[in-house]
Amino acid sequence: MRAIIVEKPGGPGALEVAEVGEPTPGPGQVRIRTAAAGVNPVDAATRAGLLADAGLMPPFGSRGPIGIGWDVAGTVDAVGPDVARFAPGDPVVGLRDRLDVPLGAYADAIVLDASAVARAPRSASPAEAATLPLNGLTASQALDLLDLPAGGTLLVTGAAGALGGFAVQLAVLRGLRVVAAASAADEALVRELGAEWFVPRGVHLGDAVRALVPGGVDGALDAALLSVSALDAVRGGGVFVAVSGGPAAPVPLRGITVHNVWIRADGARLEQLSALVDAGRLTLRVAGTFPLEEAAKAHERLEAGGLRGRLVLTAA
């Protein structure tokens, strides 16, 4: 079968199409025949060697090729022992949250723990469904860390992006009042997603947010990695969640609690998100599709920027 691998870090051209053996599910695992795989910034960072440089995975060359891709939508075609929730033929979505593996979601098939898998939204195409796991779970788990009560105020940066859009909608469903920060051209979009207030990119974020919410918001979910600029919009003693470590996680000034959200697979939570999609309460957005073998072109488009939603690779 085909799989996209990386042997040496580099630009999009480092992505190779390889013929590999088909994986076999072990106890508690399922094999998914891939229909679609989401293309995320973390995939580009893995390919470029940034995660290895940060010590989040072994150096390239130390353990053979590295698989790429976290999000998968497809059909179960084999189950291992001790799997009762899924059977061959079930349409599913899943998340591969391990980095040091030779096979990722960019492949004709992938084996995942059944606990990382959920039934796909019935109302979504495979390409649409493949945009849900990584960004939907990250938004949901970030909101858990914020732990704001209903009626609380939340700043979401990058609110028009794939992660930010989910964060706005899920926050509103929790009863939060959202300030969305995004490009001026995206105001209508983020308000449609449920944002009560809007701040355009390019203004002084702290001052603009405080003009809307005197004293500052109760919390911030920094999907755009603005760091201290977003922290300045949070009231003293509030909460801030960064979606990655390093410079995106600011010093906790003014008694603000700062968290990193480190995504983990959670099939039960993913099942809930799928249900929200089917209920029309969570919006899936596909920015474009590419065949699996054109993964390098998809990464070139990803790095060109300006996307709203996620690119998706399709396997046939």
Side-chain angles (χ1 to χ4, degrees):
M1 70 170 202
R2 300 169 302 165
I4 305 299
I5 62 169
V6 178
E7 297 191 82
K8 294 181 180 179
L15 297 172
E16 303 177 32
V17 182
E19 286 293 327
V20 301
E22 197 163 82
T24 301
Q29 295 183 318
V30 300
R31 185 173 66 209
I32 300 169
R33 188 64 54 185
T34 303
V39 178
N40 292 284
V42 68
D43 302 333
T46 302
R47 181 212 75 223
L50 300 180
L51 300 190
D53 291 345
L56 299 177
M57 57 185 290
F60 278 86
S62 63
R63 301 194 187 187
I66 296 294
I68 300 291
W70 292 52
D71 287 322
V72 64
T75 304
V76 173
D77 75 347
V79 300
D82 304 320
V83 174
R85 288 184 58 234
F86 300 105
D90 288 343
V92 294
V93 288
L95 181 73
R96 189 271 299 191
D97 63 358
R98 296 176 58 206
L99 288 167
D100 184 20
V101 292
L103 188 65
Y106 293 12
D108 285 323
I110 184 173
V111 165
L112 295 176
D113 293 337
S115 61
V117 176
R119 299 187 188 281
R122 296 183 304 275
S123 59
S125 68
E128 291 169 333
T131 68
L132 178 63
L134 177 59
N135 292 284
L137 286 172
T138 299
S140 183
Q141 291 170 14
L143 289 168
D144 287 348
L145 288 172
L146 286 159
D147 195 26
L148 298 176
T153 53
L154 174 68
L155 168 66
V156 177
T157 69
L163 170 58
F166 285 144
V168 171
Q169 289 189 297
L170 292 173
V172 171
L173 288 173
R174 295 187 184 208
L176 302 181
R177 303 174 71 191
V178 175
V179 182
S183 167
D186 292 317
E187 180 175 1
L189 168 63
V190 298
R191 288 191 183 277
E192 183 179 341
L193 294 175
E196 181 174 345
W197 299 288
F198 175 77
V199 175
R201 186 183 304 150
V203 302
H204 187 286
L205 186 59
D207 288 348
V209 170
R210 288 166 182 270
L212 298 169
V213 183
V217 289
D218 298 315
L221 196 166
D222 189 21
L225 310 183
L226 300 182
S227 190
V228 293
S229 296
L231 188 80
D232 187 49
V234 180
R235 64 169 174 80
V239 189
F240 180 99
V241 172
V243 298
S244 69
V251 173
L253 302 172
R254 296 180 286 111
I256 296 170
T257 300
V258 175
H259 296 287
N260 284 311
V261 56
W262 298 105
I263 180 68
R264 66 186 183 281
D266 183 344
R269 179 69 62 90
L270 187 54
E271 195 98 29
Q272 295 171 0
L273 296 175
S274 289
L276 289 175
V277 172
D278 283 335
R281 306 181 79 181
L282 198 59
T283 304
L284 304 178
R285 293 178 289 155
V286 176
T289 62
F290 292 81
L292 179 65
E293 63 272 15
E294 294 183 6
K297 290 183 179 180
H299 275 225
E300 289 173 357
R301 177 64 190 92
L302 174 68
E303 294 186 345
L307 296 170
R308 293 296 175 261
R310 277 284 169 256
L311 297 174
V312 175
L313 299 177
T314 57

